[in-house]
Amino acid sequence: MNHSKSILLAAFLFCLLLMPTVQAKTLLYVPADDRPVSLEYVADTVKAAKLDIMTPPTADLASRNRGGDSYQLWQWVLDNCKQADAIILSADTMIYGGLVDSRTHHLFNYELKARMDNFRKLKELNPTARIYVFSTIMRTPKMSAGGVEPPYYETYGENIFQLTALQDKEEVQGLTGEEQKRLKEVRELIPRDDLNDWLDRRSKNFRMNTELIDMTRNNIFSYLIIGRDDTAPFSQSHKEGRALTKSASDLPASKFGTFPGADQLGMVLVTRAINDLETRIPIVEVHYALGSGSDTIPTYEDQPVGKTIIAHIVAAGGIVMLSPQRPDLVLVVNTPVNGVTLEADSFSNLPISTPGMHRFADEIQSYLNTGKKIAIADIAFGNGADNSLLHELAGRHLLEKFSSYSGWNTASNTIGYAVGQGMLARDMSDQKRRNLLAVRYLDDWSYQANIRSQVDSEVLYPQGGSLVYLNQLTPLLTAETEKRIRSFTKANIDWLSPERIHVSFPWNRMFEVRIAVDPQP
């Protein structure tokens, strides 16, 4: 090598040393509580997409028997916010302590104001970071058990739901004479102090959500989602949702979204944050199964699912196109033929091979054969997967080929996970993508649609146990559930070793399970 070339090489190497190293983008994320769907599964998705994620100490987050510590969480956020490129926060956690805390707290107005002021302080500390916030309208369930509502709701919850449903319907459509009579009867069944307590907490929640909308209008937040947790076409949640939507009517879809659901909101906003950081807008094509399709109004929700799906895709940073030449993702939606979403553990969810299911599976396989990336939102049933669809796809050895799959809890919970993990799959290795798929199949299909009801009837009830407090039966139920999930895996998921699967019950109840899959050796 001559002298001039040596000088050029040395100069080049010196310049490389001076160049700043490219660091992975960092997200700061505070979930609604410590459940796997809120915290662990979201963090695993971000890590699989090759980004760093900061989450607060678990001990400060709300858990089944512990309220969240908003003071400590705000301290952690403010101390660490300057390290983040994007900040994604649950307003329910930062204001009340957590999702359940938002329904049960006894906070004074001055305490709420101090916590709201911290959002402005956060923006001042890190003005360059995008701040994404998700909040919920306090839910109006038809009933409740297990201490996730005020104690009186277990007694009067059905009456409270009926009362507010009739009041909402009276405003929207008017009531028949019989309905007016029922409204009066139901009102008299509910103790006045209990109803006032419930309505006072809702009033505070409504006021906080209105202030979050104002903050979004003033560009403190890059995006705000207000979810309607456990709602219905007529309910107090629907009524408040109408008012908040009107209040935010001047905000563009690029800054604000509202739709049913709560547990999926963290996944949706994390996905939007990543898409914004990567300066991309995924193009999504949507296809429905035969039947009611986009007109389906799922259980626990208050609007047609077609509207909900578009809102989720936009909130996650994407756009919907009818027939794009090259979509980034095809969202395939499994809806019930008749538009009625029964529970996944019902007799109707037997694995039955029908011509309609064959045709649906043929369509899915044809999309894969043309190289399209497929996400499946399985909302034919509530609280679990459609056995007929999953058995059909497993028989065709397609389960490991999708960008994402989801089929848990409410339709919107499912949609949020399918859209979020589907959009981010492009950044993942095949192994990471398959691991995320495995967790969803084992949770939504194996456990929720099948094994949960089996263990309830064959193990829990004979032992005199409770669905909502497992307590001393936890070791027995854990061992039996893990054994059955591993057996299910061996029979149905041929690309996953059963020994890699571990199970636990993080909230001491049968409703949810934590699925952990060991990394591939």
Side-chain angles (χ1 to χ4, degrees), residues 41 45 267 329-334 344 349 360 364 374-381 383-391 393-394 398-409 413-423 425 433-446 448-450 493 495:
Y41 295 165
T45 302
M267 175 66 74
L329 188 69
V330 176
L331 179 65
V332 177
V333 188
N334 182 32
N349 197 17
F360 189 44
I364 294 171
I374 308 300
I376 296 182
D378 187 1
I379 62 171
F381 292 91
N383 291 308
D386 181 345
N387 277 314
S388 296
L389 173 64
L390 270 295
H391 276 286
L393 297 177
L398 300 179
L399 293 181
E400 65 178 308
K401 299 181 183 298
F402 302 116
S403 292
S404 67
Y405 167 86
S406 186
W408 64 284
N409 212 343
N413 294 160
T414 283
I415 292 161
Y417 259 72
V419 168
Q421 291 187 329
M423 285 184 178
R433 176 184 56 80
R434 285 196 297 267
N435 278 351
L436 294 178
L437 280 171
V439 170
R440 295 266 52 88
Y441 292 138
L442 297 177
D443 195 330
D444 310 349
W445 181 25
S446 173
Q448 299 293 350
N450 295 282
I493 307 177
W495 47 274

Side-chain angles (χ1 to χ4, degrees), residues 323-383:
S323 298
Q325 260 192 327
R326 300 182 64 181
D328 295 293
L329 188 69
V330 176
L331 179 65
V332 177
V333 188
N334 182 32
T335 48
V337 173
N338 63 359
V340 179
T341 53
L342 301 173
E343 292 296 298
D345 61 359
S346 68
F347 184 76
S348 301
N349 197 17
L350 292 174
I352 300 172
S353 182
T354 65
M357 189 57 69
H358 276 296
R359 178 175 172 181
F360 189 44
D362 285 343
E363 291 174 357
I364 294 171
Q365 191 161 10
S366 71
Y367 300 144
L368 289 170
N369 290 342
T370 58
K372 292 181 177 178
K373 304 297 184 183
I374 308 300
I376 296 182
D378 187 1
I379 62 171
F381 292 91
N383 291 308

Side-chain angles (χ1 to χ4, degrees), residues 152 160 190-201:
Y152 54 77
I160 292 172
I190 308 166
R192 185 180 300 273
D193 288 346
D194 292 341
L195 184 60
N196 287 342
D197 173 79
W198 191 75
L199 291 173
D200 177 66
R201 197 171 291 108

Side-chain angles (χ1 to χ4, degrees), residues 116-407:
M116 291 296 290
D117 287 343
N118 280 331
F119 286 111
R120 299 180 181 90
K121 185 176 180 180
L122 173 62
K123 184 65 175 177
E124 292 170 1
L125 284 173
N126 191 348
T128 61
R130 294 172 180 261
I131 302 174
Y132 304 82
V133 173
F134 58 101
S135 182
T136 60
I137 296 171
M138 211 175 105
R139 73 178 190 168
T140 314
K142 295 181 180 179
M143 60 189 68
S144 181
V148 294
E149 306 286 340
Y152 54 77
Y153 210 92
E154 295 192 17
T155 304
Y156 299 105
E158 185 175 358
N159 300 131
I160 292 172
F161 173 82
Q162 290 177 348
L163 173 70
T164 67
L166 289 168
Q167 289 173 332
D168 186 29
K169 186 177 182 183
E170 187 173 35
E171 288 188 12
V172 176
Q173 289 184 355
L175 298 179
T176 65
E178 187 63 31
E179 288 171 331
Q180 289 173 344
K181 179 182 176 183
R182 180 59 182 160
L183 175 61
K184 183 179 179 181
E185 292 171 348
V186 172
R187 184 182 285 114
E188 293 174 353
L189 292 173
I190 308 166
R192 185 180 300 273
D193 288 346
D194 292 341
L195 184 60
N196 287 342
D197 173 79
W198 191 75
L199 291 173
D200 177 66
R201 197 171 291 108
R202 297 199 72 99
S203 175
K204 291 175 179 177
N205 175 268
F206 184 87
R207 192 168 68 251
M208 294 303 100
N209 279 328
T210 301
E211 190 167 343
L212 291 173
I213 291 171
D214 287 339
M215 289 184 179
T216 308
R217 188 176 288 116
N218 293 325
N219 296 314
I220 293 172
F221 306 143
S222 292
Y223 201 90
L224 171 67
I225 296 177
I226 296 181
R228 300 193 291 278
D229 185 13
D230 205 345
T231 184
F234 293 114
S235 66
Q236 185 67 20
S237 301
H238 177 255
K239 177 180 178 178
E240 292 167 9
R242 289 189 288 111
L244 288 169
T245 299
K246 184 177 180 180
S247 174
S249 60
D250 61 314
L251 292 176
S254 59
K255 290 185 70 69
F256 174 77
T258 179
F259 39 78
D263 296 343
Q264 81 281 14
L265 301 181
M267 175 66 74
V268 173
L269 270 193
V270 160
T271 303
R272 183 180 189 92
I274 294 173
N275 282 328
D276 285 350
L277 288 172
E278 300 294 340
T279 61
R280 64 193 184 200
I281 304 175
I283 298 170
V284 182
E285 184 178 354
V286 183
H287 290 275
Y288 294 90
L290 290 174
S292 58
S294 62
D295 294 326
T296 301
I297 300 179
T299 308
Y300 314 112
E301 305 201 353
D302 59 6
Q303 66 183 29
V305 75
K307 181 178 179 180
T308 301
I309 285 173
I310 293 173
H312 274 79
I313 292 168
V314 172
I319 57 172
V320 179
M321 296 183 70
L322 292 178
S323 298
Q325 260 192 327
R326 300 182 64 181
D328 295 293
L329 188 69
V330 176
L331 179 65
V332 177
V333 188
N334 182 32
T335 48
V337 173
N338 63 359
V340 179
T341 53
L342 301 173
E343 292 296 298
D345 61 359
S346 68
F347 184 76
S348 301
N349 197 17
L350 292 174
I352 300 172
S353 182
T354 65
M357 189 57 69
H358 276 296
R359 178 175 172 181
F360 189 44
D362 285 343
E363 291 174 357
I364 294 171
Q365 191 161 10
S366 71
Y367 300 144
L368 289 170
N369 290 342
T370 58
K372 292 181 177 178
K373 304 297 184 183
I374 308 300
I376 296 182
D378 187 1
I379 62 171
F381 292 91
N383 291 308
D386 181 345
N387 277 314
S388 296
L389 173 64
L390 270 295
H391 276 286
E392 184 70 33
L393 297 177
R396 299 179 184 220
H397 303 284
L398 300 179
L399 293 181
E400 65 178 308
K401 299 181 183 298
F402 302 116
S403 292
S404 67
Y405 167 86
S406 186

Side-chain angles (χ1 to χ4, degrees), residues 444-516:
D444 310 349
W445 181 25
S446 173
Y447 180 71
Q448 299 293 350
N450 295 282
I451 290 171
R452 177 157 67 102
S453 61
Q454 296 169 10
V455 174
D456 288 351
S457 61
E458 297 171 20
V459 183
L460 180 74
Y461 292 144
Q463 295 286 334
S466 164
L467 291 171
V468 293
Y469 296 106
L470 305 186
N471 298 342
Q472 72 274 10
L473 290 179
T474 299
L476 172 64
L477 293 166
T478 302
E480 186 64 29
T481 301
E482 184 171 278
K483 181 181 77 173
R484 293 183 185 222
I485 287 179
R486 287 181 172 185
S487 177
F488 187 98
T489 302
K490 186 175 182 180
N492 296 283
I493 307 177
D494 56 11
W495 47 274
L496 180 62
S497 171
E499 291 72 26
R500 294 171 56 200
I501 300 164
H502 305 282
V503 170
S504 60
F505 292 99
W507 270 40
N508 191 37
R509 62 187 186 183
M510 291 299 293
F511 185 70
E512 65 258 301
V513 69
R514 172 183 281 115
I515 304 289

Side-chain angles (χ1 to χ4, degrees), residues 95-112:
I95 299 171
Y96 314 107
L99 185 59
V100 172
D101 297 288
S102 73
R103 310 169 194 156
T104 59
H105 72 86
H106 295 281
L107 294 168
F108 294 105
N109 288 328
Y110 74 88
E111 294 174 286
L112 297 174

